[in-house]
Amino acid sequence: MIPAFTEPPLCHFWPFWVLELGPECSDIQVEKAAREITAKLALGVPGAADFQAVPGTLQRDEALVREARNLLLDPDQRLLAEFWYIDPGSRVPGADENLSSVDYWRQLLGLDA
Amino acid sequence: MTFLVLLSLILLLRLIGGSGPPGDERAVHDNYAIGMWVLAFVLFVILRAFQVPWPFIGIIGALVFIPSVVSLVFVRLGWVAPAYCLGRLAMMYFYRDPAAGAHYRGFQASQYIKDPHRRRRALTWLRNRFQGKRFKIYSGEMVMFVIIDAHLVRPGDEAFLARQLRCLKTVSKPSIPAPVSVLALKFALLPVLPGWNWRQIKSIAEQWDTPAYNLLAKFLFEAAWLRRENAPPSKMLRFLWLCNLRYYKLANTAIRRLNADDKIEARASRDALIAGLYTGHVEGEESQRSLAMRLLLNPGQGLLWRQRAQVLGVPNPDAAWQNLERTVLAHFRAHFRAGSSDHALDREADMNTWEERQKALGYLQSSIVTLQNSRQKVSGFEHFSIWMSLLTLLTDLKRDSGDDVLAFGSMSGSIWNWIAGLWNDHREYCLANFMARTCAPLARSLGHHEMYRRLNNDILNHGSR
């Protein structure tokens, strides 16, 4: 596991992010995604190592993909990952993008001259 | 002609000097407004008598009769002083409180100044206008004072301004002009709108739904009420939407959110909460904790996840759900413990804050005594300024440690004497009423029945001031 998933206590959802899948995916899709990403990593396809997460773009390797696949195929771990799953593009309260939306509202309410 | 001028001046001075009965907080301003209209009429007669050309009379007439419109020119130019003076003359537009209207126009003009130093100077000039004020202080001016003061003390801090405006919850509403009420509503809403919390929006809209027809507040209140009742958009909401065409983007967003699917909304708040936990952006407040528990561990969720566990082939679904519950509790315990351990490490800083607050309380208490013993006439805004500092301190104490009642208890005697002095000696009815409305619940919760009874009988039951 990479530090981004071990340092915060909440990290059960990460296998979905690594394999770029949603919680509704089947076991076959998990296998297929893991195979495809591993192949791309082995061939050195540009951008294959990048994946989206809430803090931003993170890097993956073959070991991480393998670990993610194993976790999603274990029913108990899969349930845990599904329960905590959030979309990697979720809005983070207090992040910078919110500040810009305050500016947006300020403009919209006519508080900016 | 000389007789007419003298007569009007005498009439004007009498009207300005005379204070209205205690029950009518706008009496002085109304008299002032009548006086200004009399003066305008006399001026017109004089100008005609001297056969002054019509265009010149037209310019003077526009300045005197439609100052609220002319002042907008100076607002656009960023000329604070002329905008302020013309706002002061706009008796019809700001008839509830022309002095607040003057500050409103001055503030509007200051927002068109690009240079921050010049803007600051303009705001300081505006705030100084409060100090030399000879009339009594009314609610509209209190609101403008808070807005201008917050822009000077903490420029760009929307949350601080919104907190300060929340402190004015018990202020008397009838003398707040509609534009001032709308401005306060906008500033109060600003930190809430990005998260679009219906409960908070309803509470803010309710606070600023003043008798002066704040239609934006009425619209938001109606929308929030419909949302709570799970009702479709009403005819009243559509009518209010039409009235708020100027803010159609905000109104459209409100209507879209009104119709938004509950499940999608709940999913969005759940995702935002988990994302906040993951990145450490969730405040360690009890309300957040209860929200989290409600979203993640409600009975519906229990049933749903047990079924899902069965589908996935988990041997014991009940045990799996218990495991999920354990992880939620463990995460929250870890998150909130992390927050509290930070506080523990920072105990020295907490101690310093506590000492600073005690010092501030002591300082405010001595300021109150000095104000009461002062032989010179003290402006109502000096009283209001100290009252706001005390209110902010009590709010901070309530938020951090729940010590507001104790702090209030230690100085309730001084506060009662202060309110009584303002009512009896200074005749600051509006300010005393605002203070009494804030203090009455605190006095009751402290068990100060005598103070509670006096606040109710001697001040609050004297009519709406």
Side-chain angles (χ1 to χ4, degrees), chain A residues 4 9 82-83 93 106 109 113, chain B residues 111 158 186 270 281 308 331:
Chain A
E82 279 188 22
F83 180 79
R106 175 181 271 279
L109 288 170
Chain B
Q111 299 307 295
E158 288 90 7
K186 287 176 183 176
R270 176 194 172 279
H281 276 111
R308 182 65 187 152
H331 286 316

Side-chain angles (χ1 to χ4, degrees), chain A residues 73-103:
Chain A
L73 293 179
D74 175 346
D76 282 309
Q77 294 300 321
R78 167 77 185 245
L79 188 73
L80 209 55
E82 279 188 22
F83 180 79
W84 286 106
Y85 177 79
I86 51 168
D87 190 89
S90 289
R91 201 167 53 82
V92 181
D96 282 349
E97 59 183 334
N98 269 6
L99 293 176
S100 63
S101 44
V102 169
D103 288 341

Side-chain angles (χ1 to χ4, degrees), chain B residues 35-54:
Chain B
M36 287 307 294
W37 279 94
V38 170
L39 190 67
F41 176 72
V42 172
L43 190 70
F44 174 75
V45 172
I46 294 169
L47 289 174
R48 279 308 300 144
F50 285 98
Q51 292 181 336
V52 175
W54 276 107

Side-chain angles (χ1 to χ4, degrees), chain A residues 21-50:
Chain A
L21 292 169
E24 69 289 340
C25 67
S26 63
D27 285 358
I28 297 166
Q29 283 172 310
V30 171
E31 290 277 16
K32 192 179 166 195
R35 251 196 331 270
E36 276 180 9
I37 295 167
T38 311
K40 279 182 188 170
L41 286 170
L43 290 169
V45 174
D50 297 341

Side-chain angles (χ1 to χ4, degrees), chain A residues 4-5 8-13 17 23-25 27 53-55 58 75-76 78-80 82-87 90-95 98 101-106 108-113, chain B residues 111-112 114 158 183 186-187 190 193-196 216 247 249-250 253 267 270-272 274-279 281 296-297 301 305 308-309 312-315 320-321 323-324 327-328 331-332 334:
Chain A
F5 299 143
L10 200 80
C11 56
H12 304 291
F13 42 69
W17 290 358
E24 69 289 340
C25 67
D27 285 358
V54 166
L58 297 176
D76 282 309
R78 167 77 185 245
L79 188 73
L80 209 55
E82 279 188 22
F83 180 79
W84 286 106
Y85 177 79
I86 51 168
D87 190 89
S90 289
R91 201 167 53 82
V92 181
N98 269 6
S101 44
V102 169
D103 288 341
Y104 167 75
W105 286 111
R106 175 181 271 279
L108 205 130
L109 288 170
L111 291 169
D112 268 341
Chain B
Q111 299 307 295
Y112 280 90
K114 298 284 175 232
E158 288 90 7
L183 183 73
K186 287 176 183 176
F187 278 123
L190 207 51
L193 286 178
W196 202 277
L216 184 60
Y247 308 107
K249 278 189 182 171
L250 170 66
T253 312
R267 180 83 204 179
R270 176 194 172 279
D271 283 7
I274 296 178
L277 274 175
Y278 176 62
T279 49
H281 276 111
L296 298 170
L297 295 181
Q301 290 277 314
W305 288 106
R308 182 65 187 152
L312 286 172
V314 176
W321 171 244
N323 183 37
L324 287 176
T327 61
V328 173
H331 286 316
F332 276 84

